[in-house]
C-alpha cells in the first residue's frame, strides 16, 4: 500500500497479494515464485517502462490520524 501511495515500483515475489488494488491501480506487479519471472520485470523497471500507478480513490494518506481520533474518542 505504501509503495502505491508513494508511486514507488513494487514487485511482490508471491503468487498473490492481500492488496489486489496495489496491482490494479498502483505500481505493484505480482512476480510469482519462479526466479525466471524476475528478468522481464526488472528489464521494464530499468528501461523506464514500469507501469504508472494511480492512488485509489479513498487513499488520502490520513488513515493513521482517523484511527487515532477514533481511539481517543472511545478511550474518553
Amino acid at each position: 500500500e505504501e509503495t502505491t501511495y508513494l508511486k514507488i515500483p513494487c514487485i511482490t515475489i508471491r503468487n498473490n497479494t492481500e492488496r489486489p488494488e496495489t496491482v490494479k491501480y498502483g505500481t505493484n506487479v505480482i512476480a510469482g515464485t519462479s526466479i525466471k519471472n524476475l528478468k522481464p520485470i526488472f528489464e521494464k523497471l530499468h528501461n523506464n517502462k514500469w507501469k504508472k500507478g494511480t492512488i485509489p480513490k479513498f487513499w488520502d494518506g490520513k488513515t493513521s490520524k482517523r484511527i487515532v481520533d477514533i481511539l481517543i474518542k472511545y478511550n474518553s
Side-chain angles (χ1 to χ4, degrees), residues 14-75:
R14 294 178 42 196
N15 292 319
N16 57 30
T17 177
E18 290 80 15
R19 303 289 186 257
E21 61 274 11
T22 64
V23 176
K24 183 175 180 180
Y25 300 108
T27 59
N28 189 13
V29 171
I30 302 288
T33 57
S34 173
I35 197 155
K36 296 178 202 174
N37 298 337
L38 293 178
K39 184 178 179 183
I41 292 171
F42 279 111
E43 286 174 353
K44 284 183 181 182
L45 179 63
H46 291 290
N47 291 321
N48 282 334
K49 295 189 178 184
W50 198 262
K51 65 182 193 169
K52 303 292 180 209
T54 60
I55 298 171
K57 184 176 179 179
F58 296 108
W59 290 19
D60 61 6
K62 299 176 184 174
T63 302
S64 60
K65 181 186 181 327
R66 286 193 296 270
I67 291 169
V68 169
D69 289 345
I70 290 168
L71 292 172
I72 289 170
K73 177 182 172 184
Y74 285 104
N75 195 31

